[in-house]
Amino acid sequence: PPPQQPGSGFAPPPPQPGGGFAPPPPGGGFARPGGFAPPPPPGGGMTQLNNAMGGMSMGAGPPAPPKPFTPGGGPPPPGGPPPPGAPPAPGGGPTMFNPGAPAASRFPPTPGLNSNPPPPGGPPPPGAPTMFQPPPAPGQPGMPPGGPVVFQPPPPGGSLGGGPPPPGGPPGGPPPPGAAPGANFYQAGNAPGPAAPGVQGGGMAPPQQADNVDYSVQIPSRILQLTAGKLAQTAAVANSCKIPFGGVLRPLAPDQSPEEEAEVPTIQPGTSGIVRCKRCRTYVNAYVAWSDHGRKWRCNICAQMNETPSAYFCHLDEHGLRQDRHERPELCHGVVEYIAPAEYMVRPPQEPAYFFAIDVSATAVESGMLHSVSAAIKASLDDLPGRTRTKVGFITFDNGVHYYNLDPDMANPQMLVVSDLKELFVPLPEHLLVNLQDSRDIVENFLDNLPEMFAKRPVYGQSCLGPALKAAFTVAKAIGGKMCVFQSIQPNLGDGALKPREQPGIMGTPKEVTMLRSEAGNAWYKDTAVEFSRQQISVDMFLFPYQYMDLAALGELAKFTAGSMHSYPMFQKEQDGPRFEAQLKSILTQKTAFESVMRIRCTKGMRITNFYGNFYIRGTDLMALPNCNRDSVFGFDLVHEDPNISFSHVTIQGALLYTSDAGERRIRVMTQAIPVSGLLTEVVASVNVDACTALLSKQAVEVVLKSGLDNARMRMQQVCVEIIRAAKGGDRRTVSGYSVPGQQADNNPEEKPIPDNLKLLPLYTLAIMKNVAFRGGMDVHPDQRVQAYYIINELFVTDMKHFIYPRMFALHEMGASAGHALGDNGGSNDVDPETVAGHNRIQLPPVVSLSVENLSSNGVFLLDNGVEMYLWVGSAADLNIVGSLFGVHSLDDIDPSQIRIQTSGDDFANRFGSIVTALHEGKYSDADDGVIPKINVIREGDAHAEARFYWFLVEDRASFQGGTHSYGEFMKFVNNPAASAGAGPMPPGGAPPGGAPPGHPQGTMPPPMPQGGAPPPGPMPPGGPRPGPPGPPGAPMGGMNRGMPPGPPGPPVQPMAPPRGPPGGPPMAPPPGGMGMRPPPPNAGPPPGGPPGGPPGPPPPGGMAPRGPPPPGNYGGPPPPAPGGYGGPPPPSSQPPPPGPGSYGGPPRPGGPPPPMGGVMPPPPVNGGMPPPPRPSYGQPPPPPGGHR
């Protein structure tokens, strides 16, 4: 046999006592008693020996000893209960899976079609001696070691697999040339070949298994997307290409369209149970290797050889594959679902339970939040999962905890108040969590009266969330389920009381990260969440902040219980109510998996290191998920554990064990094989830039929480530069990770183009660095950053792409077909999916790139990032469009809070409504219920509202460290970082730490050009373009845009009135400094100074209203309602109290505003020498329902 490589590949079966490889079964061939096989035919050499051994199941190393942990998924942590549904392990405690359980599918083999049932009693017994034939002639298939091939005539009809094979024969010869994909890759060996790159010298590459795997059996892309379609064969190649190998998994992803018949096959195991590996507990799948006529199968994760249960036996075909593989879903599908037998349960499946903990303080009552919560819950009662089995319960709280007796025999609900928060007790043993069908009338009665129950005597500024959570836990812990918490102020009573940690002085500094993590030494919410997770309770947080609430601490309830967190700053019932109610109804009524756990396995030689998302880890790799739904998304990293991978592919398998809403215990198994390549160019060419960007974003969140925002931006930029550099470098021969001498070095990397599949990576990297989650400056509220981190963790690949790089549509240039459904004559295969939206395939308007250069005063632009929408209206927009959208011809004299958008009426409004609905279809419910999401209206010239809008224009310069590059400048830096000015880990031209976006540093007027950036330009004359970075878009000189991508996929950019970038994507930004730059337009002021990559120059001196800074404490959201009190609890609507100290939205600190950056005095105020009037900010109370806004 060929020499073994240390630490490589799958292990062969253990040799028999006599030594050597195991001979064929008794009854055929030359098998000596000692276990030795006869030597191969003389004169064949190594090549002939390998050919002769084509039918043997070979490995490359000894079998690995069994791992110490429990095969079924690892023991539970000390003191905690076992994983849900775990069967008892042999000789030990309960485990997640049933060790060694065989299975019989409910899809039995169909008679005929090359499949015969096994003989009675299971596999064929050893047979009698058979005839022999002479060795094959040269050029014919070789014979296995151990003796000549046993002749077997084919059955009538020519089928090679129609009957039981002779026991002494080989499991199948090598596949003929041109064999169909799916042939058994373990039953053919590879001849030695040249060393692959990165492999140590010695003459021969690590042995690989023949690549006859059917790669068409894959997990659908809506469930799993990998960062690369091929993995590096060696750790050295992986380190060279710098690609973050891993994936993003959405186990319960819904179908993409109603017509899509992508239902996951369901398997009902028979009396034998489920077939799994006896060592690593991998589920049998399409990539396992069958041998010994189907009597055995080799695990594709750990290489363990397993016996095939007799009830699962089937003959193999001429390629060594099971004849019934197309009739068994687990052998021909990437995703299957088993109905788990009783041994997968530690208790009977519980009823779906929904418990609601509702804040009823004055803030919740006066803002209308309580009314919206009641309406949404009542609208969801008919569609809650579980139907007749569903249970519900309610607790409300302010300065006390209120239980509710929902006994179905009572006419009205009974409220039981517990005011002692230290000695909290449950006043009633039953009827606090009731069956919804039995108590439907009393539940609806309670929800109808809830908004008015606390309106007469509201409690201001007090909230005992911690005791309320303990009370709800006591009621729900026996069953588990979903708990929804609604909170409007920071908890300040009893357990879990939080102290205001907001410090505006440290924002924009390295200490800001302390406000993005929970308070050191206060682990109450994390400990509570872990206890909730152990009792199978998931928590969804719905927060309505009007001032600092400390989302970093409250969010841990959702993070460690596999829940979700949603924030609605400055909630107003009329504007935010429909969106919130639709979102809550969607969350309550969607398909939910209860009592679930998940584990992801990968082939030996690779290792899964980190997980991203909301979960709690039990042991080392078992994710505890009390609830898992269609929005549950998890990321993972995949790294090399061994220096070399000695086989042709790596398998990843995820298994989700859960209880369905119908009370069935199910196991969803997802398996996919990933090819392995030793060539860096092949690995780079397989990169999925969308999945890579999504995984990098999730990784960056962890970096922020560990080491700060600056390090996160630096790491993202470094990864982008290294990937592009490696992609341009191509394949290089390496030995032990070092380049082989004599290879020609590339002295001009800028001349090489970026590979097509990576052209959008620099753009997406720049967009991530300028995203609200990672951008620098002092104008991003800490609660807003934390909410962005939870959004990133909960988004799948497609939604993440739009959240990072939003789409901006030019509504004023919509074609006649935009807003209408695509006709049947436009085939789905011929239409770019980015040009249509929704199940009805509504055609979208043209897309423009995210640069201020593309805004024009005569235009109307809709920006959508998948979470929120902004409608920017130019000062000289078409009066007909303004009238169609708003019902008025001018927005100049209208209070922003009073603006209402019309989505129906004339033709333009109807098409606009169709576009908006299609863009967010499925985000609020499974069905198209016509809910229009909230749209923030931005008027040109409104500095406060435009400040947030400019955050999304990621292709322009920003004035914070790591964000001072425009898109064109960043492309030049990425193409040749060493040649860029100030090359280093951070881009050149960086501003001092703590800077803010152009024109909006916190509490200061914009400093002159060398120290910061000019404010965004003011209104333009009608029809004129808005100036952006110096110089119009064009073809820069100096090779700056070599390899520059045309922009993200989207609807084609139609020519617009003002000059724009190239069609189809972002404009070609001008080069930094003055390289190849055309002269600035007239009256545009002097050219900018400072280093290359600095901010743009000052605005033109005439005809532009300078933009002032936003008021201190801006939460960054839409324009707030009418002025009110700051900080303290919401007052009665007649008399607002003065601002409270310590509020983020409070007045300036004593002593005036802080000095401007760089020690430069700000320019004098304009408009008569008076500063702009103060605007209300994030710290104000909610308006009373029905009052003026």
Side-chain angles (χ1 to χ4, degrees), residues 151-377:
F151 172 76
Q152 175 174 347
S159 172
L160 297 179
N184 192 338
F185 66 98
Y186 289 110
Q187 295 192 356
N190 278 356
V199 182
Q200 293 185 3
M204 194 165 60
Q208 291 193 19
Q209 306 292 347
D211 193 2
N212 293 322
V213 181
D214 185 3
Y215 291 108
S216 64
V217 180
Q218 291 192 348
I219 302 174
S221 59
R222 61 188 171 87
I223 295 178
L224 173 68
Q225 289 199 28
L226 300 169
T227 58
K230 292 185 178 181
L231 295 179
Q233 180 183 355
T234 66
V237 174
N239 293 333
S240 300
C241 65
K242 306 298 182 182
I243 297 171
F245 292 107
V248 183
L249 179 65
R250 191 182 183 187
L252 298 179
D255 296 342
Q256 295 177 349
S257 64
E259 302 86 17
E260 181 182 2
E261 296 181 2
E263 212 167 309
V264 176
T266 303
I267 302 172
Q268 175 69 60
T271 56
S272 300
I274 301 176
V275 179
R276 302 179 62 185
C277 175
K278 60 185 179 183
R279 176 191 290 175
C280 68
R281 312 304 297 143
T282 295
Y283 295 82
V284 68
N285 55 80
Y287 307 109
V288 301
W290 301 92
S291 62
D292 199 7
H293 308 293
R295 296 189 187 96
K296 296 181 180 180
W297 60 278
R298 185 186 294 277
C299 175
N300 54 329
I301 298 293
C302 69
Q304 171 72 25
M305 187 64 74
N306 299 273
E307 298 286 341
T308 304
S310 59
Y312 200 77
F313 171 80
C314 180
H315 295 278
L316 306 182
D317 61 13
E318 65 273 19
H319 302 303
L321 301 176
R322 287 177 61 110
Q323 297 176 359
D324 65 344
R325 63 185 182 276
H326 296 299
E327 300 160 10
R328 291 189 176 272
E330 68 272 21
L331 301 182
C332 61
H333 286 80
V335 182
V336 295
E337 202 158 87
Y338 292 95
I339 298 178
E343 57 263 27
Y344 285 78
M345 310 176 191
V346 293
R347 64 176 183 178
Q350 300 298 304
E351 303 93 336
Y354 293 83
F355 206 90
F356 302 93
I358 306 172
D359 173 21
V360 292
S361 62
T363 306
V365 174
E366 295 178 359
S367 65
M369 180 270 279
L370 197 57
H371 186 278
S372 292
V373 170
S374 302
I377 296 175

Side-chain angles (χ1 to χ4, degrees), residues 783-802:
D783 281 352
Q784 193 173 9
R785 285 198 197 274
V786 174
Q787 177 63 63
Y789 297 154
Y790 279 86
I791 291 175
I792 288 175
N793 274 333
E794 296 168 7
L795 287 182
F796 194 58
V797 174
T798 306
D799 295 331
M800 179 75 77
K801 177 179 65 175
H802 295 149

Side-chain angles (χ1 to χ4, degrees), residues 367-519:
S367 65
M369 180 270 279
L370 197 57
H371 186 278
S372 292
V373 170
S374 302
I377 296 175
K378 184 178 179 181
S380 306
L381 295 180
D382 290 331
D383 301 321
L384 289 178
R387 300 185 181 276
T388 59
R389 304 169 59 247
T390 307
K391 291 190 172 185
V392 296
F394 300 88
I395 276 183
T396 59
F397 58 94
D398 41 28
N399 58 358
V401 179
H402 319 132
Y403 298 83
Y404 293 92
N405 182 2
L406 302 176
D407 189 344
D409 297 330
M410 298 173 56
N412 295 302
Q414 179 186 12
M415 183 171 68
L416 307 171
V417 181
V418 177
S419 301
D420 190 352
L421 303 181
K422 294 183 179 180
E423 300 293 336
L424 198 66
F425 64 94
V426 179
L428 198 66
E430 56 184 7
H431 302 309
L432 300 178
L433 185 64
V434 297
N435 182 275
L436 177 59
Q437 186 179 31
D438 297 340
S439 304
R440 178 64 180 267
D441 294 337
I442 196 170
V443 168
E444 290 188 353
N445 186 7
F446 166 75
L447 293 174
D448 290 337
N449 296 322
L450 180 60
E452 305 299 330
M453 290 171 60
F454 300 92
K456 295 181 180 179
R457 296 182 180 179
V459 176
Y460 289 96
Q462 292 182 326
S463 175
C464 60
L465 174 61
L469 290 173
K470 293 173 62 176
F473 174 78
T474 305
V475 176
K477 66 180 180 180
I479 295 180
K482 179 185 288 292
M483 183 181 297
C484 296
V485 177
F486 305 90
Q487 182 75 16
S488 61
I489 62 175
Q490 189 179 59
N492 50 23
L493 294 177
D495 293 335
L498 297 174
K499 300 176 181 178
R501 297 192 297 132
E502 183 184 23
Q503 301 180 52
I506 66 174
M507 294 177 63
T509 69
K511 294 183 179 180
E512 182 180 1
V513 69
T514 59
M515 292 191 294
L516 307 179
R517 300 187 292 238
S518 59
E519 185 178 8

